[in-house]
Amino acid sequence: MIWSSWSEFIEMGGYAGFVWWSYGVTVVFMVGEVVLLSKRKRTIIQRLGRFIRADRSKRNAE
Amino acid sequence: MKARNKRLIFVIVGVAGLAVAAGLVLNALNSNVAFFFSPTEVKADKAPKDRTFRLGGMVVDKSLKREDDGLTVHFQVTDKLETMDVTFVGILPDLFQEGQGVVAQGKLGSNGVFMADEVLAKHDETYMPPEVQDAIEKGEKANMQKNVSTN
Amino acid sequence: MAKSRFWLYFSSPKTFYPFSGKLIPWCVGVAAVLMAVGLYMGLLVTPPDYRMGDSYRIIYIHVPAVWMSMIIYMVMAGWAAVGLIWNVKLAEMMAGALAPTGAIFTVIGLWTGALWGRPTWGAYWVWDARLTTYLVMLFLYMGYIALRSAIDDPRRASKASALLAIVGGINVPIIYFSVKWWNTLHQPFTVAPGQESKIDPTMLWTMMIMVIAFWAYTLAVSLIRVRCDILEREKNSSWVAELLQGSSAGNKQ
């Protein structure tokens, strides 16, 4: 550990704005991509599941 | 010939043709793609006259002089072949240092002095902890002293 | 021809779907662990740089993101070419699934580069050869994604966008060698094959850990995306119906 205190770590040797904005935006982009993707996957599986069940019950009724 | 072989040849020929075209364009653009001109190029009249351009090179050791107003600075830029005087009014970037790379934007004055209105520090490709840098400097000094004593 | 059957086996969405599903948790695990280690090393353990102080810590995301964005472009163009030449549907889908992640890494590369350039050079942005050609790659990614979504028929969309991806592939070596071919504000290679790296070993290791983490992340995300694309494109096939019936019956999907 190279930092002697919490505030020293936050200050990043005077470059806090540059370092934390870089890391922050990167995290937002990558986490955002994962969240949107898993949402998309859930929606697809739900929609296709409904579609397939409807198709089957229609066929059963015929 | 099968359709997929036709497509393969089509793609290969297309990419090869494109590579050649890109190469020719880049070659033609070569001088304009350069971000800055070196002092040697400027002295050989390769830089545009009466128009702003960028001058790049190394800041000569111990050439930095500040005027009393605290804003005007004079320094020299070299590419180890030619050296040019530069005058700049403004705040130098944090990483501006003698012996390090710099890119200045401005115009060449009639007196041969480059009047810069923007100065950027050019970073080199080395990354190391301060202690290593100290050790290297100490080593260099020791070497120099050894050379002096043996001479 | 056993060999061709082997490739046929993996190039069929029906077999690729469950196979890739097993791969994803491993990629996620590797990415999560290595990212945690990399961030810990990068922000808490590695020493500051002798000239840039602590602002250089941006390197631990800037370089992996930029490398990844360029590698993804090449892989995407490669899949697009395979899809175009041999008419492999799965290759077309792989190309399309990589593009958004590549574009995101390009944006991250530009953003972190700007925030690093300001304290180092004194400017967020300059129009030098390295930065300009890299910006062109972002436009290529966006053009590729836009073209794909503009054409309704997925096969035709893949064919048209594949041409754009392959043609734009020329740009990647130009980005890479720009610092060598022209004088730029951006510094030349620090780490390159056939050259001693000009970076402290601890810093290099930390950077490499982040690079591998980004690889694993890319693999995971693009596989999840391609599986979504497979489901959407194959929704009328019987294997998807069987698969989803199984999942609606309470099995783990």
Side-chain angles (χ1 to χ4, degrees), chain C residues 3-239:
Chain C
K3 201 176 151 209
S4 74
R5 225 177 279 144
F6 173 78
W7 288 115
L8 225 59
Y9 178 79
F10 277 107
S11 64
S12 122
K14 185 185 168 183
T15 40
F16 180 80
Y17 189 88
F19 164 73
S20 56
K22 285 194 197 100
L23 219 58
I24 289 170
W26 290 97
C27 297
V28 172
V30 169
V33 170
L34 289 186
M35 250 175 232
V37 174
L39 285 176
Y40 173 75
M41 295 278 292
L43 291 172
L44 299 170
V45 178
T46 47
D49 178 68
Y50 75 115
R51 282 192 73 205
M52 290 183 282
D54 289 305
S55 71
Y56 98 97
R57 290 182 198 283
I58 296 171
I59 200 175
Y60 299 124
I61 40 177
H62 176 73
V63 170
V66 169
W67 282 1
M68 229 37 243
S69 64
M70 287 163 71
I71 292 165
I72 291 174
Y73 195 96
M74 290 312 272
V75 175
M76 179 184 92
W79 281 126
V82 170
L84 191 65
I85 296 163
W86 289 283
N87 230 333
V88 185
K89 220 198 292 184
L90 189 62
E92 291 173 357
M93 287 195 261
M94 281 303 288
L98 281 166
T101 306
I104 285 173
F105 277 137
T106 313
V107 171
I108 292 175
L110 288 168
W111 174 259
T112 53
L115 285 170
W116 194 7
R118 178 66 230 199
T120 309
W121 303 332
Y124 288 107
W125 179 264
V126 292
W127 292 99
D128 85 343
R130 169 54 75 86
L131 277 67
T132 309
T133 49
Y134 191 66
L135 182 66
V136 167
M137 188 169 76
L138 178 65
F139 295 147
L140 283 170
Y141 268 127
M142 295 194 317
Y144 178 83
I145 295 168
L147 188 58
R148 257 186 111 88
S149 57
I151 305 174
D152 282 333
D153 174 26
R155 296 309 306 257
R156 277 193 53 223
S158 300
K159 295 239 150 55
S161 60
L163 276 176
L164 177 67
I166 295 163
V167 167
I170 297 284
N171 189 42
V172 175
I174 297 178
I175 299 174
Y176 185 74
F177 289 110
S178 59
V179 288
K180 205 172 180 153
W181 290 343
W182 305 291
N183 50 27
T184 52
L185 187 62
H186 194 285
Q187 70 279 4
F189 312 133
T190 296
V191 185
Q195 144 187 333
E196 205 185 325
S197 69
K198 294 172 175 165
I199 177 167
D200 175 79
T202 343
M203 298 175 179
L204 180 64
W205 273 109
T206 308
M207 199 169 89
M208 286 308 169
I209 288 171
M210 288 300 272
V211 169
I212 302 169
F214 276 36
W215 265 97
Y217 171 89
T218 304
L219 215 59
V221 180
S222 56
L223 284 180
I224 297 173
R225 189 174 290 119
V226 84
R227 276 157 61 90
C228 290
D229 295 343
I230 288 174
L231 284 182
E232 276 186 336
R233 240 157 110 169
E234 307 271 300
K235 61 180 172 219
N236 294 322
S237 67
S238 56
W239 72 267

Side-chain angles (χ1 to χ4, degrees), chain B residues 133-151:
Chain B
Q133 165 68 4
D134 289 349
I136 288 172
E137 271 176 10
K138 262 184 214 153
E140 274 172 0
K141 253 184 213 155
N143 254 335
M144 258 156 65
Q145 275 164 358
K146 209 164 58 187
N147 287 344
V148 169
S149 61
T150 48
N151 285 345

Side-chain angles (χ1 to χ4, degrees), chain A residues 1-3 9 12-15 17-27 29-31 33-34 37-38 40-41 44-45 47-49 51-53 56, chain C residues 35 39 43-46 52 54-55 57-58 60-61 101 104 107-108 111-112 115 118-119 214 217 221 225 228-229 231-232 235-236 241 244-245 248 253:
Chain A
M1 186 82 81
I2 55 157
W3 311 101
F9 169 64
M12 274 288 149
Y15 295 107
F18 301 108
V19 173
W20 294 124
W21 270 105
S22 291
Y23 276 83
V25 168
T26 304
V27 168
F29 266 109
M30 288 168 81
V31 170
E33 185 182 16
V34 171
L37 248 183
S38 40
R40 181 181 163 208
K41 192 184 166 186
I44 288 175
I45 287 172
R47 207 188 51 218
L48 287 188
F51 171 76
I52 286 158
R53 274 193 299 276
R56 201 171 36 159
Chain C
M35 250 175 232
L39 285 176
L43 291 172
L44 299 170
V45 178
T46 47
M52 290 183 282
D54 289 305
S55 71
R57 290 182 198 283
I58 296 171
Y60 299 124
I61 40 177
T101 306
I104 285 173
V107 171
I108 292 175
W111 174 259
T112 53
L115 285 170
R118 178 66 230 199
F214 276 36
Y217 171 89
V221 180
R225 189 174 290 119
C228 290
D229 295 343
L231 284 182
E232 276 186 336
K235 61 180 172 219
N236 294 322
L244 289 181
Q245 260 163 26
S248 62
Q253 165 44 44

